[in-house]
Amino acid sequence: MRKFLFFIFTVSCFVVSSQTKVGGIVLDDTGSPIAFANLVFKNSSEGTITNDNGRFYMESDNTYTTLVVSFIGYETAEIELPQKVNYNMEIQLTESTEQLREVVVYTGKQSKKNNPAIEILKRIWAKKRENGVRKFKQYKYDKYEKIEFDLNTIDSNVIKSRLFKGLEFVFDDLDTSRITGKTYLPLFLNENFSKVYGDNIIKKEKEDVLGSKNSGFEGNQAITAFVEDLYSDYDIYNNYLKFFDKSFTSPLSKTGVDTYNYVLSDSTFIDDKWCYNIIYYPRRKNELTFKGDFWVNDTTFAIKKINLQVTKSANINWVKEVYIEQDFDVVNDSVFLLKRDYMLSDFSFSKKEKSRGVYGKRTTVYDNYEFDVPRGEAFYKAVADPYDPRVFARDSVFWQNARLERLNEDESGIFKLLDTLKTVPKFKTYYNIVSVLGSGYIEIDKWNLDIGNIYSTFGFNDAEGYRVRAGARTYFGQNDTWRLEGYMAYGFSDRKFKHGLSGKFLLDRKTRLILSGGNRRDIEQLGLSLTSTNDVLGRSIASSSLVTVGANDRLTNINLSTLNFEIEPVTNLRIRVGGSFRTLSSALPEAFNLDYIDPTSPTGISSEVEQFDVNTTLIYTPGKRTIGYGVERVNINDNHSTLLLNYTKGVEGFLQSDFDYEKLQFSYTQPWQVGGFGRLTSTIELGKTFGEVPLSLLSVVPGNQTLFSIYNTFPNLDFYEFVTDTYATLHLEHNFNGRLFSRIPLLRKLNLREIVGLRGAWGQISDENIALNAPSNIPLLAPDEQIYWEYSFGIGNIFKILRIDFNFRGNYLDNPDARRFGITGSFGFKF
């Protein structure tokens, strides 16, 4: 059963008797908020920094009676705490007359010269490769991880709202975040216990998952994939830390001195080690930066404790807060190892202080380190099965020993109230609505069937006019070993029914041997991709676009049948071998002529191609991560490269196939994270067809007459404007993620993002292939005289969901109806 289950059980915020909580705002003499002011409990290393609006919240399991508040240019203040819980405090700092003499200090900007904090940073850079598990030849440790999602900012308006009518019992008790001071309601909890092994000599690492347990979204692959991608591993010593597909400058980065202000604030003993405290905060607004502080040892210059909090002005959507804590343990006089890693994200539609949202929290605890025990390469090649049923069926005794950090009462309660929420009809209704909007399918659990995809219900093109489509697929669970899917469609202009049916069967889970096949009879806009595979149910957006540039009449009737075997002998290397039989003809012959010379035809000309092909495809995706072990898996990350090699052999005569030819194609797509300058995506494609084939089997340089920005197409080319049998294309697209706009005062607050693109194509078509095609209304032109190229400038993150690209054609301006300029756009929810 797939149910988006919210599991709620909470505890009172005063369970721990010896606890100190404090929150409020820090102001200057004029009543203006002071951002990045430092707050610490007196005689401790526990502290925080005010946010961009001068607000703060922190808590401790210990009892403190005095809060120390300081900031450059102001007198340090010691505030007495009369109670254990002190909310809504208003703290006012007085300007320091001595520090006011230096303007640079008063503004908070720190000099890079003669700054003791910078000198300590240089020592950290020099020593960072000598600390942690890198210091040893081999290593092993236990790893316990728990991920939790909570609904936050719960108040009386939420509890009394109609949305939760009938669900009031879930609010019986609420807990309070120790980071933000907001009430929250637990929704989801996932636990994992594993053993990690590594060898720094042969540069190998593997993680064996021994136990996995979750509540809430256990059957929803999309949510699980999101959680896995959201909380990918990171190293604070790296120059850039990647969160939400963006690179944040680390405060320990060598480029940090140009991004952050650093202040040496304090020094004290922590675990018998003398440590310095350094406060850091960003030099500029709207950049992907943090604020916070860290403690560093005075001899090893290893980080003992660090916290990082994303600034509210950072150019990131749907995330109001990100808070990270890392604690390191002392192994001996020279080695500090990561002990605990905590990360909290506050997801919200608004960054306003009182806006509601969802907390995403990850806690990872490391223990039982072992070093310098060689295990050999064979050990690292033998990877344990992460989907072993025993991993998901561990008993309470296992988890009692495996948890390196105990669950608190509200976390334990998530499991306890599982069955309760399953029985609430209103909750089921809410889940169904969210599930349909997220997946596009309506679930019918009684029949193990999904109806959809609802987003493909309506369409339009010049051949069919308006069309409707209805489909369904089998669904017993996320790890189904087989799946059937199909659809029916009807066009109101051509008054014809279309259909598609496919099936996939996982024959061997270890090698991922999959048998697949199907049939589709439909109308399609071909030529939108050079190295496309024979996807039976695939359909391009250009085939059903309501608005296009120019006439969208170069459509093809296609009747496609396929049968394929696929195997994954090693991780991320897929080999697919299969055959396909296609019948191709023009859907609008008067506008789009696919006729070719055919001596066997009574008229000497044929307008339909019947073709049997044998295909061999190799797809290599190094670094790709997936979840699930069924016939269909869900990708976790998108920062991996993709290499595709495809060989097609057309067999003449078999099943009355028309042509004998060979086609070889190669493509390579690589995303590049260019430090703090954004993300570059590059794709190169090469191909050649050996033999004589008609237009419907040639390689078309992919144009784009829609108003949508589609990567890997040429938005200023019409469909079939360039046709080749030999080709090479290059696509480059770079998203600066607001790096440039953040330096422009008038644009800074809009959080816009800059995108630039460059595209090129070269190709040839032989005289024999030109002669084979009968005189038609489609000129067979190839960009052989010079490389065809385009460039574009785009603005993204408009209203957080819209991207607009301005596309310019570089040459071949004399082609018939050549489009020199065009505007395309796209919608999407991106961080």
Side-chain angles (χ1 to χ4, degrees):
M1 295 290 182
R2 288 172 303 146
K3 286 299 174 186
F4 183 92
L5 299 177
F6 289 91
F7 307 103
I8 297 99
F9 180 87
T10 55
V11 294
S12 170
C13 46
F14 302 107
V15 169
V16 182
S17 59
S18 59
Q19 191 177 58
T20 305
K21 298 183 178 183
V22 58
I25 188 171
V26 178
L27 307 171
D28 62 15
D29 290 334
T30 66
S32 299
I34 299 178
F36 314 133
N38 186 45
L39 303 100
V40 62
F41 291 124
K42 189 173 182 179
N43 298 325
S44 81
S45 62
E46 299 182 58
T48 188
I49 292 177
T50 59
N51 64 19
D52 302 56
N53 301 319
R55 294 194 171 275
F56 70 93
Y57 177 86
M58 63 176 180
E59 66 179 52
S60 172
D61 291 336
N62 301 314
T63 300
Y64 294 103
T65 59
T66 306
L67 180 69
V68 180
V69 186
S70 61
F71 187 63
I72 301 299
Y74 294 85
E75 299 287 353
T76 299
E78 293 192 2
I79 309 299
E80 296 299 322
L81 303 176
Q83 304 174 17
K84 291 182 179 179
V85 179
N86 300 269
Y87 291 147
N88 301 317
M89 296 186 68
E90 190 173 292
I91 301 171
Q92 192 170 58
L93 297 184
T94 304
E95 295 178 354
S96 172
T97 55
E98 292 184 3
Q99 293 183 343
L100 276 174
R101 296 172 186 171
E102 298 185 42
V103 177
V104 68
V105 175
Y106 175 70
T107 60
K109 294 184 178 179
Q110 301 301 299
S111 173
K112 301 176 187 177
K113 295 181 179 180
N114 302 320
N115 186 337
I118 301 297
E119 296 304 314
I120 294 175
L121 267 178
K122 292 178 180 178
R123 302 295 295 273
I124 293 174
W125 302 336
K127 291 278 190 177
K128 70 177 183 178
R129 294 297 177 186
E130 298 180 14
N131 279 297
V133 294
R134 298 189 188 92
K135 192 176 180 68
F136 302 91
K137 295 178 181 179
Q138 294 88 23
Y139 57 88
K140 171 193 172 185
Y141 56 84
D142 292 347
K143 176 182 176 183
Y144 168 72
E145 179 181 82
K146 59 181 177 182
I147 295 176
E148 180 180 339
F149 278 76
D150 312 311
L151 183 67
N152 67 42
T153 318
I154 307 297
D155 55 22
S156 59
N157 292 330
V158 175
I159 298 173
K160 296 178 181 179
S161 67
R162 295 180 60 185
L163 183 68
F164 287 98
K165 189 174 182 180
L167 298 173
E168 293 87 355
F169 68 93
V170 303
F171 300 114
D172 288 345
D173 295 289
L174 295 172
D175 206 349
T176 305
S177 168
R178 67 180 181 85
I179 306 299
T180 65
K182 296 178 181 178
T183 53
Y184 67 86
L185 194 65
L187 309 176
F188 162 79
L189 180 67
N190 173 268
E191 293 182 280
N192 277 286
F193 176 77
S194 59
K195 290 185 178 292
V196 180
Y197 306 85
D199 193 309
N200 289 317
I201 298 176
I202 61 177
K203 296 181 179 179
K204 296 287 185 180
E205 183 177 274
K206 78 170 185 176
E207 180 176 348
D208 289 342
V209 179
L210 303 183
S212 182
K213 179 182 181 181
N214 64 32
S215 67
F217 315 139
E218 66 269 18
N220 194 305
Q221 284 183 304
I223 295 174
T224 308
F226 168 75
V227 171
E228 291 283 342
D229 190 29
L230 175 66
Y231 294 110
S232 56
D233 292 332
Y234 54 89
D235 185 346
I236 59 169
Y237 286 101
N238 289 342
N239 287 334
Y240 297 95
L241 309 180
K242 184 182 176 185
F243 302 110
F244 314 112
D245 201 29
K246 290 174 174 54
S247 292
F248 292 76
T249 303
S250 170
L252 305 182
S253 167
K254 289 186 177 181
T255 63
V257 292
D258 298 319
T259 307
Y260 294 102
N261 294 296
Y262 295 92
V263 179
L264 178 58
S265 173
D266 198 1
S267 58
T268 189
F269 281 103
I270 302 179
D271 296 334
D272 299 325
K273 296 295 179 182
W274 189 256
C275 297
Y276 298 117
N277 181 232
I278 294 179
I279 298 171
Y280 64 90
Y281 50 95
R283 289 180 174 268
R284 294 169 294 271
K285 292 184 177 182
N286 293 82
E287 293 187 357
L288 299 177
T289 53
F290 303 97
K291 64 182 179 68
D293 72 316
F294 56 85
W295 292 86
V296 55
N297 180 243
D298 69 331
T299 55
T300 65
F301 290 93
I303 301 300
K304 174 61 178 164
K305 181 184 296 186
I306 188 172
N307 70 75
L308 309 94
Q309 188 169 0
V310 172
T311 56
K312 287 188 179 297
S313 64
N315 191 341
I316 184 171
N317 297 328
W318 323 117
V319 181
K320 184 165 58 176
E321 299 272 1
V322 177
Y323 180 82
I324 298 169
E325 285 180 352
Q326 285 194 341
D327 294 311
F328 295 80
D329 202 7
V330 181
V331 177
N332 53 48
D333 289 338
S334 61
V335 180
F336 284 66
L337 296 172
L338 183 60
K339 179 182 180 181
R340 187 177 187 272
D341 182 12
Y342 174 83
M343 178 177 178
L344 177 145
S345 305
D346 186 354
F347 301 97
S348 176
F349 286 104
S350 171
K351 291 189 177 183
K352 294 181 179 180
E353 192 70 28
K354 296 183 179 180
S355 62
R356 300 183 182 94
V358 174
Y359 285 143
K361 299 185 290 189
R362 182 186 74 169
T363 304
T364 309
V365 183
Y366 307 85
D367 203 356
N368 301 320
Y369 283 92
E370 296 179 10
F371 301 105
D372 296 337
V373 180
R375 292 179 169 84
E377 291 196 35
F379 173 80
Y380 292 96
K381 291 181 179 178
V383 180
D385 183 3
Y387 304 109
D388 186 332
R390 292 173 296 180
V391 171
F392 304 94
R394 300 297 187 185
D395 58 20
S396 58
V397 176
F398 171 88
W399 285 110
Q400 185 176 354
N401 296 323
R403 290 187 180 112
L404 302 179
E405 180 175 280
R406 289 185 177 182
L407 297 181
N408 57 37
E409 292 188 44
D410 60 321
E411 291 169 343
S412 301
I414 298 176
F415 296 105
K416 294 177 182 178
L417 292 187
L418 168 63
D419 294 332
T420 302
L421 275 176
K422 280 183 176 180
T423 63
V424 180
K426 190 168 188 176
F427 176 80
K428 292 183 178 181
T429 301
Y430 289 158
Y431 163 71
N432 290 333
I433 294 173
V434 174
S435 179
V436 171
L437 293 177
S439 68
Y441 287 89
I442 301 171
E443 304 167 16
I444 304 179
D445 290 338
K446 184 187 300 184
W447 299 342
N448 295 311
L449 198 69
D450 286 352
I451 304 299
N453 189 315
I454 61 172
Y455 297 117
S456 300
T457 303
F458 298 100
F460 177 86
N461 59 60
D462 288 5
E464 298 175 278
Y466 292 99
R467 66 177 262 154
V468 293
R469 168 174 159 161
R473 68 180 184 183
T474 60
Y475 200 106
F476 296 87
Q478 66 177 10
N479 293 312
D480 287 348
T481 56
W482 61 273
R483 183 155 295 158
L484 298 178
E485 187 170 0
Y487 74 88
M488 290 287 293
Y490 179 77
F492 288 92
S493 290
D494 64 358
R495 298 182 180 179
K496 292 181 179 179
F497 283 97
K498 293 86 180 175
H499 72 267
L501 178 66
S502 74
K504 296 180 180 180
F505 303 87
L506 181 64
L507 305 180
D508 182 69
R509 197 180 79 181
K510 186 175 181 180
T511 62
R512 293 203 55 78
L513 179 62
I514 296 174
L515 169 66
S516 63
N519 172 261
R520 173 168 60 123
R521 186 190 293 267
D522 209 336
I523 288 178
E524 183 64 275
Q525 175 63 67
L526 302 180
L528 202 69
S529 175
L530 285 165
T531 52
S532 59
T533 56
N534 291 322
D535 184 0
V536 176
L537 299 185
R539 184 174 177 84
S540 69
I541 190 173
S543 303
S544 298
S545 184
L546 294 175
V547 181
T548 61
V549 179
N552 186 15
D553 51 15
R554 298 177 180 181
L555 298 159
T556 301
N557 290 314
I558 180 170
N559 186 357
L560 170 67
S561 298
T562 66
L563 182 66
N564 299 286
F565 283 92
E566 180 181 302
I567 192 171
E568 190 171 329
V570 296
T571 303
N572 290 327
L573 175 62
R574 291 182 289 151
I575 302 174
R576 183 186 302 128
V577 178
S580 66
F581 185 81
R582 291 176 285 173
T583 301
L584 305 171
S585 62
S586 174
L588 295 168
E590 294 183 1
F592 180 47
N593 189 341
L594 288 177
D595 293 349
Y596 63 94
I597 304 298
D598 182 6
T600 64
S601 172
T603 62
I605 294 178
S606 291
S607 58
E608 183 176 84
V609 171
E610 294 182 342
Q611 185 62 43
F612 175 79
D613 295 332
V614 176
N615 300 281
T616 301
T617 305
L618 280 72
I619 304 175
Y620 182 45
T621 53
K624 179 180 177 179
R625 295 184 295 133
T626 60
I627 61 170
Y629 58 86
V631 70
E632 293 181 357
R633 295 184 295 181
V634 176
N635 295 340
I636 293 177
N637 61 327
D638 63 354
N639 59 347
H640 59 83
S641 57
T642 301
L643 292 91
L644 182 147
L645 180 63
N646 184 64
Y647 172 74
T648 302
K649 170 63 178 177
V651 182
E652 183 179 3
F654 185 72
L655 299 178
Q656 297 183 335
S657 178
D658 291 327
F659 293 94
D660 187 89
Y661 71 98
E662 294 175 282
K663 181 180 288 188
L664 190 63
Q665 298 172 296
F666 170 79
S667 73
Y668 170 45
T669 298
Q670 176 69 61
W672 311 84
Q673 205 70 36
V674 191
F677 288 92
R679 179 185 174 98
L680 171 68
T681 304
S682 62
T683 298
I684 184 172
E685 296 185 79
L686 308 170
K688 183 172 180 60
T689 301
F690 303 89
E692 300 174 14
V693 293
L695 174 59
S696 55
L697 298 179
L698 287 170
S699 298
V700 181
V701 178
N704 180 11
Q705 291 180 229
T706 74
L707 297 182
F708 293 93
S709 298
I710 305 175
Y711 180 74
N712 233 24
T713 66
F714 292 83
N716 288 86
L717 278 184
D718 289 340
F719 299 128
Y720 289 88
E721 185 170 342
F722 286 130
V723 181
T724 72
D725 52 37
T726 304
Y727 65 85
T729 66
L730 175 68
H731 291 260
L732 300 172
E733 181 177 285
H734 186 80
N735 190 330
F736 287 92
N737 280 324
R739 177 84 177 193
L740 304 179
F741 286 157
S742 66
R743 307 296 178 94
I744 303 175
L746 295 178
L747 297 177
R748 182 178 295 155
K749 292 185 178 181
L750 298 177
N751 280 335
L752 301 176
R753 298 169 186 171
E754 327 82 352
I755 303 112
V756 296
L758 180 65
R759 300 170 284 275
W762 173 88
Q764 290 180 332
I765 183 171
S766 67
D767 293 337
E768 291 79 7
N769 279 326
I770 293 176
L772 177 63
N773 287 276
S776 85
N777 46 17
I778 302 297
L780 299 182
L781 301 176
D784 54 358
E785 294 181 0
Q786 53 183 317
I787 296 175
Y788 172 78
W789 65 284
E790 296 180 355
Y791 60 97
S792 63
F793 301 98
I795 301 175
N797 209 42
I798 303 172
F799 306 120
K800 296 184 179 181
I801 60 172
L802 175 63
R803 165 180 165 176
I804 296 178
D805 292 290
F806 303 93
N807 309 291
F808 301 86
R809 185 173 182 137
N811 55 359
Y812 288 94
L813 301 176
D814 296 330
N815 281 10
D817 301 320
R819 291 184 285 126
R820 296 171 176 262
F821 172 76
I823 299 177
T824 56
S826 61
F827 294 90
F829 291 86
K830 297 182 181 296
F831 287 112

